[in-house]
Amino acid sequence: IYKEYAEKLLKENKAYFCYCGEERLKEEREKALKEKRSWQYDRRCLFLTKEEKERLEKEGVPKAIRFLVPQERNLVFEDIIHGRIEKSGRDIEDFIILRADGSPTYNFACVIDDALMEITHVIRAVEHISNTFKQILLYEALNFQIPYFAHLPLILGKDGKKLSKRHGAVSIMEYKKMGILPEALVNYIALLGWSPGGDLEIFSLEEAIKLFRLEKVKKSNAIFDFQKLEWMN
């Protein structure tokens, strides 16, 4: 499926073959890091001559497929939680959509999967905002319907760091063994980054469904407080 869509983009000059080896790209990235400057792909393979391409093909050099980012435009999308988010096309490199081994990259695969499954809302962590711009470009290039995007705040431990095993239980089964009731866990998790308004803290799943609105989710990260969960339980 992915190969078929990648070939469509190649035919329409919205993508191009890239013969640059990982070794060369790694060297360039490291050099930029040492020189304390940002790095993005220099489009070397976009400007290869016909003769150069023929030579590389003859030599059997592995090739990936890169998406040709329209750098002259500003990209804008309206996030359900964060509102208007904007980025210049110049700040997005021509990213790989199909690796040299034929496997698709995350941004390419998820756009095709979501479009074919008719996904209407993409709800995910705030860390994915940078990916959203690349994905919108792909939705447009493939003439797919663009879904609504909502980027949720992260759940942090009391130390302000991303929730992980060092903060304690991370599996629902572990909470079950500790005697935490499903109703309490659902109630507590619903309140991480969202509030029904007023003083209401204890509610059933049915009430949460009636009250919940994506638009009311907070932009700031939530803190997971185990003592509060125990109190609720």
Side-chain angles (χ1 to χ4, degrees):
I1 295 171
Y2 309 116
K3 194 180 172 207
E4 180 192 321
Y5 283 104
E7 282 170 358
K8 182 181 188 288
L9 292 174
L10 282 170
K11 276 178 198 162
E12 293 172 4
N13 295 319
K14 293 173 182 175
Y16 59 94
F17 286 118
C18 178
Y19 301 87
C20 297
E22 189 50 49
E23 211 46 50
R24 185 196 146 240
L25 298 174
K26 191 182 170 189
E27 274 173 31
E28 285 191 4
R29 275 193 291 265
E30 284 170 359
K31 192 185 172 191
L33 200 67
K34 277 178 192 168
E35 293 170 6
K36 292 178 180 174
R37 59 181 170 85
S38 61
W39 180 88
Q40 66 179 42
Y41 182 64
D42 59 8
R43 291 188 157 183
R44 183 177 297 194
C45 291
L46 178 62
F47 304 109
L48 289 174
T49 62
K50 193 184 170 191
E51 291 72 29
E52 284 172 320
K53 285 179 193 172
E54 282 170 1
R55 179 181 57 79
L56 290 163
E57 288 289 339
K58 216 176 210 177
E59 290 170 9
V61 175
K63 58 180 189 277
I65 298 175
R66 282 186 187 271
F67 181 75
L68 182 59
V69 174
Q71 293 191 331
E72 66 291 341
R73 59 174 279 204
N74 264 16
L75 290 158
V76 179
F77 76 94
E78 201 69 35
D79 189 89
I80 293 171
I81 295 163
H82 297 269
R84 183 187 168 93
I85 304 177
E86 198 170 336
K87 193 172 189 174
S88 166
R90 294 186 188 282
D91 296 329
I92 305 167
E93 72 165 351
D94 290 354
F95 53 96
I96 290 171
I97 55 173
L98 220 62
R99 299 182 188 94
D101 65 2
S103 64
T105 55
Y106 162 74
N107 282 313
F108 191 51
C110 77
V111 165
I112 292 163
D113 291 348
D114 288 356
L116 298 183
M117 290 192 288
E118 297 178 17
I119 296 296
T120 58
H121 290 66
V122 174
I123 305 166
R124 57 189 177 192
V126 71
E127 300 158 303
H128 280 283
I129 284 177
S130 59
N131 286 323
T132 304
F133 291 103
K134 294 176 182 178
Q135 290 165 18
I136 287 171
L137 285 170
L138 288 168
Y139 276 107
E140 289 175 347
L142 292 164
N143 295 315
F144 287 148
Q145 179 74 36
I146 299 171
Y148 293 101
F149 289 96
H151 290 87
L152 305 171
L154 299 176
I155 300 174
L156 307 175
K158 273 190 160 180
D159 57 1
K161 290 180 180 167
K162 209 171 161 187
L163 204 61
S164 69
K165 284 184 181 176
R166 72 174 178 274
H167 294 104
V170 288
S171 150
I172 286 174
M173 296 312 289
E174 283 179 56
Y175 287 113
K176 187 179 180 181
K177 283 176 196 166
M178 289 157 78
I180 300 293
L181 302 167
E183 295 83 357
L185 193 60
V186 168
N187 193 148
Y188 181 67
I189 287 174
L191 289 168
L192 293 176
W194 170 78
S195 165
D199 299 327
L200 185 65
E201 277 194 301
I202 308 290
F203 44 78
S204 68
L205 180 59
E206 289 71 28
E207 285 171 312
I209 290 166
K210 278 179 194 168
L211 293 164
F212 184 79
R213 293 290 176 275
L214 261 177
E215 293 81 1
K216 282 190 175 180
V217 172
K218 298 182 181 83
K219 292 176 189 177
S220 53
N221 294 328
I223 303 291
F224 191 94
D225 182 350
F226 185 70
Q227 285 173 307
K228 180 82 184 268
L229 172 60
E230 278 191 311
W231 167 82
M232 198 166 269
N233 198 55

